[in-house]
Amino acid sequence: MVRLSTPLVTALGLATSRVYAALQVDLDDPASIKKAAAQVAEDLLTFYHGDEPGMVPGILPGPPPDGDYYWWQGGALWGTMIDYRHHTGDKSYDDTISQAMLFQVGPNEDYMPPNWTASMGNDDQAFWALSAMLATEVGYTDPPEDQPQWLALAQAVFNEQTHEDRRVASGRCEWGLRWQVYPSNNGYNYINTIANACYFNIGARLARYTDNSTYADLANRTWNLINDLGYISDKWDVYDGAHLPDCSNINKAQFSYNAAMLVQGAAFLYNYTDGSQLWKDRVNNLVDRTLQVFFPDNIAFEPSCENAKCNADMESFKGYTARWLGTVMQLVPETRDKIYPVLKASTQAAVKQCTGGDNGRFCGFHWNTGVFDGEVGAGQQMNVLGSLISLLSPDVAAPLTNQTGGTSKGDVNAGSDEPLVPTFAPVTGGDKAGAGILTAILIAGALSAFAWMSMD
């Protein structure tokens, strides 16, 4: 959360003595939704300074104590903005988005810039890959030919995370993707849902986009791992993870982005498999439980932290969840009747409390109170923006594939110059993309990194 000084609070008009009307929007009018989304997007980017002289493109201010945000939230920001562009047609931020996404690719073109080693999680790297994958699927402007391409960037991250150096070698947690990349980072022995769910999600989307069954096989293997470890309960609750050596003492905290990441990936595999009953059932069960747990009274809520204190990471989960449920409605249309009314009611509650700032429309985190809570930040703005555009999703073009208009170029060796392992199934689509797997990863020393729950 951005912690404002008293003078700044006054300057922004956050003092309780000043009252403004909420963000104005008619949720039955797509044009009105787009107008409100444009205003929220504009306010969101006031927290970004990477396009200013002397600043680092791509990242939000941080990490703590220099600012509230870790590197991954930059990747999440640009995914939100790419989705905003896709849903509204507003291309005015294209230069900023492209500069940011390309500046952070790192020397190996794999979203592993060395200066973020001390807090580099597999989920952090994956969030940038998810934004690159989204750019691929929505036909976002391809980079110049001498720059890394969106599809190849997503493949590079997937390839590296498939490698054994990122995974548990044996035992009950075998093949589990570790939370942290480097052994020196706090959380290296935590096998969490979000890292594995991100990998599952990217694999599902690569399978659908390239029509390559090996991606689907790896996604299926990851689903089975998450399920077999008990991270998905019999009631379809999605838990946070567990530690080595055996991943048996499960941390049963529930965060919306874990469940939403899985249900979106499942929706892609439902679509990829031409509507298999297995993935249909998984989608519907996850959707039903997600709406029950994270939308009490039809308003987005983070049950594992919101009654106490959510950190800046957790304060951004609502927006991702809304956006990804929007994709589910596109790929599994039968879910619209149960998802859309909940998202609409939640969005109404969200915009009602957007009365902060000197323009009277900055948003807070708590949506179930009906009043602005004074907590402004990039996460809060991303939440409301994601919720607004999710209402447009059913009538927006579904994600592309390389056979339905996708133009981004893949790279079979993305992330590595080494020979490929494993051998990939023949590509049945036009793009000869595979998933090259790194055969060596340099493990560098690093400082112990941020951990937002008890690790190791």
Side-chain angles (χ1 to χ4, degrees), residues 71 101 103-126 128-129 153 156-158 160-161 166 180-182 185 415 438 441-444:
W71 177 71
M101 288 283 291
F103 193 87
Q104 292 295 327
V105 298
N108 293 321
E109 299 181 356
D110 57 356
Y111 285 120
M112 284 280 287
N115 52 326
W116 294 102
T117 297
S119 60
M120 181 60 72
N122 282 300
D123 53 344
D124 298 49
Q125 184 190 28
W128 287 87
L153 285 164
V157 174
F158 188 83
E160 292 184 3
Q161 293 191 357
R166 301 285 184 101
Q180 292 292 305
V181 173
Y182 298 106
N185 285 4
L438 286 179
I441 300 289
L442 177 63
I443 303 298

Side-chain angles (χ1 to χ4, degrees), residues 119-425:
S119 60
M120 181 60 72
N122 282 300
D123 53 344
D124 298 49
Q125 184 190 28
F127 259 84
W128 287 87
L130 288 162
S131 294
M133 193 70 226
L134 180 62
T136 301
E137 293 164 340
V138 302
Y140 180 74
T141 305
D142 292 325
E145 291 186 2
D146 62 345
Q147 296 291 313
Q149 302 300 302
W150 306 129
L151 176 58
L153 285 164
Q155 289 173 307
V157 174
F158 188 83
N159 295 347
E160 292 184 3
Q161 293 191 357
T162 307
H163 192 266
E164 62 184 13
D165 286 349
R166 301 285 184 101
R167 296 182 173 270
V168 180
S170 61
R172 183 172 181 270
C173 319
E174 182 178 354
W175 208 69
L177 183 62
R178 297 172 180 271
W179 177 29
Q180 292 292 305
V181 173
Y182 298 106
S184 53
N185 285 4
N186 192 23
Y188 183 71
N189 289 325
Y190 191 56
I191 312 305
N192 66 348
T193 296
I194 192 58
N196 288 277
C198 285
Y199 178 85
F200 163 76
N201 187 293
I202 296 168
R205 294 161 74 168
L206 286 171
R208 179 181 178 274
Y209 188 86
T210 66
D211 197 16
N212 188 315
S213 63
T214 304
Y215 291 117
D217 292 342
L218 291 167
N220 270 288
R221 183 179 181 184
T222 303
W223 174 278
N224 292 337
L225 170 77
I226 295 169
N227 187 61
D228 291 347
L229 289 177
Y231 293 2
I232 304 173
S233 79
D234 292 341
K235 296 194 304 181
W236 296 89
D237 290 320
V238 179
Y239 301 135
D240 196 73
H243 286 89
L244 294 176
D246 61 5
C247 300
S248 60
N249 188 17
I250 295 175
N251 177 353
K252 292 189 176 181
Q254 294 193 65
F255 296 100
S256 64
Y257 80 149
N258 282 326
M261 185 74 75
L262 288 174
V263 72
Q264 189 197 42
F268 273 97
L269 286 178
Y270 168 84
N271 187 272
Y272 171 72
T273 58
D274 295 322
S276 79
Q277 189 65 43
L278 177 67
W279 287 109
K280 178 181 178 180
D281 291 344
R282 288 171 173 172
V283 167
N284 279 297
N285 284 317
L286 278 171
V287 166
D288 290 345
R289 192 59 177 159
T290 296
L291 296 179
Q292 290 169 2
V293 172
F294 301 107
F295 293 86
D297 299 320
N298 291 346
I299 299 174
F301 183 80
E302 291 295 330
S304 289
C305 70
E306 193 161 342
N307 283 326
K309 176 61 180 176
C310 300
N311 64 27
D313 286 2
M314 301 167 192
E315 288 176 337
S316 68
F317 294 168
K318 295 176 183 179
Y320 316 141
T321 297
R323 287 170 45 216
W324 299 338
L325 287 174
T327 308
V328 173
M329 290 190 290
Q330 293 176 329
L331 297 173
V332 191
E334 70 179 57
T335 64
R336 175 176 177 169
D337 287 347
K338 54 186 171 184
I339 293 176
Y340 191 88
V342 175
L343 290 181
K344 184 177 180 181
S346 183
T347 304
Q348 189 68 64
V351 299
K352 182 179 179 181
Q353 55 82 44
C354 292
T355 61
D358 59 357
N359 58 15
R361 67 188 192 205
F362 272 79
C363 305
F365 176 63
H366 302 281
W367 296 359
N368 59 359
T369 64
V371 295
F372 176 61
D373 58 19
E375 299 183 9
V376 298
Q380 288 86 329
Q381 296 301 127
M382 283 194 284
N383 287 341
V384 177
L385 182 56
S387 197
L388 282 165
I389 63 175
S390 73
L391 301 183
L392 302 171
S393 292
D395 299 315
V396 171
L400 299 170
T401 72
N402 62 6
Q403 294 297 295
T404 61
T407 61
S408 188
K409 296 180 180 179
D411 179 1
V412 70
N413 290 314
S416 174
D417 293 328
E418 300 295 330
L420 307 180
V421 179
T423 301
F424 272 62

